[in-house]
Amino acid sequence: MLKPVRREIATLLLTLLVLVLIGLNSGRFYTRVDLTEHNIYTVSDVTRSLLGNLPETAEITYYVSPELRRMHNAPRRIEELLEEYEAYGGKNLRVNTVNPVEAGVTETVEELGVEPRQVRTVQEHEERYTRVYSGIVVRYLDRSRVI
């Protein structure tokens, strides 16, 4: 009777050890599965190659308002894509997500070309317009581009 209990305990401990090891190594390996019919969320081989062979450090900053995140799925999808880019870019690609209002950089962001938009929201039966930001600034060498 004692041997089956020991075997179960040993199996449980071994399973826990394997799960802990997987958890500790999960940060080293990046994988993402695209189950859409035409792989629309898959980063192309050309993009992966470009990101993996950047000779100098590039920086991508996504300026987004939290109100927009609450209203739409698009900001989260953009963040996930940028995280994937960062994984493929390695040490030569830095990705940041910034709330321009909280960071106090609204004027700077607007000077770069990220324009705020007025979005209609309804809260507690009250309609109001909220000012939101959503834009990407890519910096590489001495150049920057707004998307």
Side-chain angles (χ1 to χ4, degrees):
M1 178 101 174
L2 194 57
K3 286 186 180 185
V5 171
R6 282 187 180 171
R7 186 177 299 143
E8 288 178 13
I9 291 174
T11 302
L12 177 65
L13 290 175
L14 185 59
T15 303
L16 288 173
L17 177 65
V18 168
L19 290 174
V20 167
L21 290 174
I22 289 172
L24 291 174
N25 285 311
S26 66
R28 294 183 182 191
F29 304 103
Y30 182 84
T31 185
R32 182 174 172 182
V33 178
D34 183 357
L35 300 176
T36 59
E37 184 177 345
H38 300 289
N39 294 324
I40 60 174
Y41 296 112
T42 299
V43 175
S44 72
D45 293 337
V46 172
T47 301
R48 273 187 249 157
S49 176
L50 176 71
L51 292 171
N53 294 307
L54 288 171
E56 300 292 330
T57 302
E59 182 179 357
I60 300 174
T61 305
Y62 179 36
Y63 294 100
V64 62
S65 300
E67 296 85 4
L68 197 57
R69 278 195 190 107
R70 287 191 291 272
M71 295 168 37
H72 298 287
N73 290 334
R76 183 65 206 143
R77 288 183 183 163
I78 291 168
E79 290 170 8
E80 288 172 356
L81 180 63
L82 293 176
E83 288 169 5
E84 193 167 356
Y85 281 4
E86 186 173 35
Y88 288 122
K91 64 179 175 150
N92 280 342
L93 182 63
R94 291 190 323 244
V95 174
N96 302 301
T97 300
V98 176
N99 173 351
V101 174
E102 187 178 284
V105 294
T106 56
E107 287 182 30
T108 304
V109 169
E110 290 177 27
E111 288 172 5
L112 289 169
V114 177
E115 295 294 326
R117 304 281 186 237
Q118 295 291 330
V119 178
R120 185 176 69 103
T121 60
V122 177
Q123 294 177 346
E124 299 178 18
H125 306 293
E126 183 180 327
E127 181 180 303
R128 61 172 67 160
Y129 287 87
T130 305
R131 189 176 184 179
V132 297
Y133 290 86
S134 181
I136 297 173
V137 176
V138 180
R139 291 182 181 91
Y140 185 67
L141 301 174
D142 61 346
R143 295 182 176 181
S144 65
R145 297 279 187 246
V146 176
I147 300 172

